[in-house]
Amino acid sequence: MKISKNTTVQVRHKRLGKFVGIVSRDFDTDEEEFYPIKLYQDTPIYGLSTTFIKGDDMPCRNEFVKIIIIDEIGGLNYEQ
């Protein structure tokens, strides 16, 4: 599945749980091993040794995540 930059997605991560992210560049889920997703929600995500805050790159390896598209148009236009 091809996903465009600035698309808002809900990510279900096997290790980090569920969070809202935003795509930082165009990519194809069939060709990428790591998805380019930044945390978009205000609530931080706590990993084993790292705390992720809004705007941080999230470690989204394709075999650990499921992505649900929230806003395909990219109307939020988040840039960092």
Side-chain angles (χ1 to χ4, degrees):
M1 167 172 55
K2 293 183 180 183
I3 302 178
S4 301
K5 181 178 178 178
N6 292 331
T7 299
T8 308
V9 293
Q10 181 183 61
V11 180
R12 293 184 181 173
H13 196 289
K14 289 183 180 178
R15 295 183 178 166
L16 297 174
K18 185 168 62 171
F19 59 88
V20 176
I22 192 154
V23 177
S24 58
R25 65 173 170 79
D26 294 349
F27 75 100
D28 188 346
T29 58
D30 297 329
E31 297 176 6
E32 299 271 343
E33 182 175 357
F34 289 94
Y35 300 159
I37 297 175
K38 293 181 180 277
L39 186 63
Y40 188 69
Q41 66 188 29
D42 291 327
T43 308
I45 299 294
Y46 300 98
L48 189 60
S49 62
T50 307
T51 300
F52 299 97
I53 59 171
K54 187 173 184 176
D56 285 347
D57 290 320
M58 298 300 291
C60 294
R61 190 174 186 156
N62 60 3
E63 58 195 52
F64 294 130
V65 299
K66 180 178 179 181
I67 295 176
I68 299 169
I69 295 176
I70 297 173
D71 179 19
E72 199 166 12
I73 299 170
L76 297 172
N77 198 16
Y78 174 76
E79 291 284 336
Q80 182 171 0

